[in-house]
């Protein structure tokens, strides 16, 4: 297992909340856990640090950082702009199969309201598919980079059945606008969705 593979494994562990903001990242412990030498661990941690997903703290060493109130606001502001743009472009460029996949995800998610973990995973897939449907590789790259900051936020904005149900219906509104080819409505629906998630996130801080 090389440094790049270690990096991807660490990203997955942070996404799955096995590793959480504030946790220490000890080379020796990770090398033992992954069954590799410290060299690929060190390479993976350096890449994690370059992406802002690990920082050095005095007397603690490498740790997963916690975003403060201002950073959360900055992330969600950019997310609203980027994902709104992605939805608007998807209304212009998404293929019929891409739209059908989004519709299928919404339909399946309506059956997952009671299952928080399942819906959180499906939510990530919905947003990934939405961005890909924009058919703009540069926009997708920017959103992928922003996603790395999102995984540093503790918990989820889908922590109550009420918010999960609302979020799924917001997804449905985005997809309906895309299917109708209404770029402005898709952009607006996506921005409103992210804005509501932003408010929920701030209430958790």
């Amino acid at each position: 297992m090389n440094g790049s593979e270690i990096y991807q494994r660490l990203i997955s562990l942070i996404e799955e909340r096995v590793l959480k903001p504030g946790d220490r990242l000890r080379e020796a412990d990770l090398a033992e856990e992954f069954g590799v030498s410290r060299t690929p661990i060190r390479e993976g941690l350096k890449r994690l640090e370059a992406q802002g997903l690990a920082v050095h703290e005095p007397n603690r060493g490498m740790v997963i950082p916690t975003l403060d109130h201002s950073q959360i606001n900055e992330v969600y502001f950019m997310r609203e702009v980027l994902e709104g743009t992605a939805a608007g472009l998807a209304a212009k460029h998404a293929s019929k199969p891409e739209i059908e996949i989004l519709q299928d995800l919404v339909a399946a998610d309506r059956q997952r309201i009671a299952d928080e973990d399942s819906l959180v995973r499906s939510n990530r897939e919905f947003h990934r598919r939405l961005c890909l449907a924009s058919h703009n590789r540069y926009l997708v790259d920017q959103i992928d980079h922003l996603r790395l900051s999102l995984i540093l936020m503790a918990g989820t904005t889908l922590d109550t059945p009420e918010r999960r149900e609302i979020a799924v219906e917001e997804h449905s509104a985005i997809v309906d606008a895309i299917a109708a080819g209404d770029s402005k409505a898709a952009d607006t629906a996506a921005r409103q969705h992210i804005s509501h998630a932003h408010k929920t996130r701030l209430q958790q801080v």
Side-chain angles (χ1 to χ4, degrees):
M1 192 178 297
N2 58 35
S4 179
E5 291 170 325
I6 293 295
Y7 168 77
Q8 292 298 335
R9 286 286 300 276
L10 291 170
I11 290 289
S12 295
L13 290 174
I14 296 171
E15 282 187 321
E16 294 163 6
R17 301 296 179 222
V18 176
L19 292 174
K20 303 178 183 65
D23 285 355
R24 295 177 66 182
L25 298 168
R26 299 181 180 90
E27 285 185 14
D29 292 347
L30 292 171
E32 182 178 355
E33 180 178 347
F34 293 139
V36 298
S37 70
R38 290 195 184 193
T39 299
I41 296 296
R42 195 172 296 118
E43 292 172 357
L45 289 176
K46 283 182 178 178
R47 188 171 173 189
L48 210 65
E49 185 177 18
Q51 295 291 345
L53 300 178
V55 296
H56 279 283
E57 288 189 357
N59 304 318
R60 296 197 70 205
M62 192 83 82
V63 301
I64 300 173
T66 300
L67 298 186
D68 61 26
H69 186 275
S70 293
Q71 290 171 310
I72 291 172
N73 280 332
E74 291 166 6
V75 167
Y76 273 94
F77 172 81
M78 288 307 302
R79 190 180 175 200
E80 187 175 326
V81 171
L82 294 174
E83 294 204 32
T85 301
L89 288 173
K92 295 179 179 179
H93 304 301
S95 65
K96 183 179 179 181
E98 286 175 319
I99 294 171
E100 289 174 348
I101 288 172
L102 290 170
Q103 291 170 331
D104 290 345
L105 282 169
V106 170
D109 285 349
R110 287 196 171 107
Q111 308 305 314
R112 295 189 179 105
I113 300 298
D115 188 342
E116 178 182 325
D117 290 341
S118 178
L119 192 62
V120 167
R121 289 191 295 271
S122 182
N123 180 65
R124 286 199 293 264
E125 178 65 6
F126 176 87
H127 285 275
R128 187 181 76 86
R129 292 283 184 177
L130 173 63
C131 294
L132 290 174
S134 72
H135 289 253
N136 186 306
R137 71 188 73 179
Y138 301 104
L139 182 60
V140 171
D141 285 346
Q142 290 299 313
I143 293 172
D144 279 346
H145 182 72
L146 193 64
R147 179 183 64 85
L148 296 178
S149 296
L150 288 170
I151 69 174
L152 292 176
M153 297 180 189
T156 172
T157 58
L158 301 173
D159 59 351
T160 67
E162 292 78 15
R163 178 56 199 157
R164 291 196 289 274
E165 186 171 355
I166 290 170
V168 171
E169 294 312 311
E170 289 172 347
H171 285 179
S172 180
I174 296 168
V175 177
D176 286 348
I178 291 172
D182 190 333
S183 180
K184 184 176 181 180
D187 183 311
T188 299
R191 286 174 183 262
Q192 288 177 343
H193 172 58
I194 300 303
S195 178
H196 293 159
H198 183 186
K199 179 181 178 181
T200 301
R201 177 65 69 183
L202 291 178
Q203 290 171 334
Q204 297 171 339
V205 175

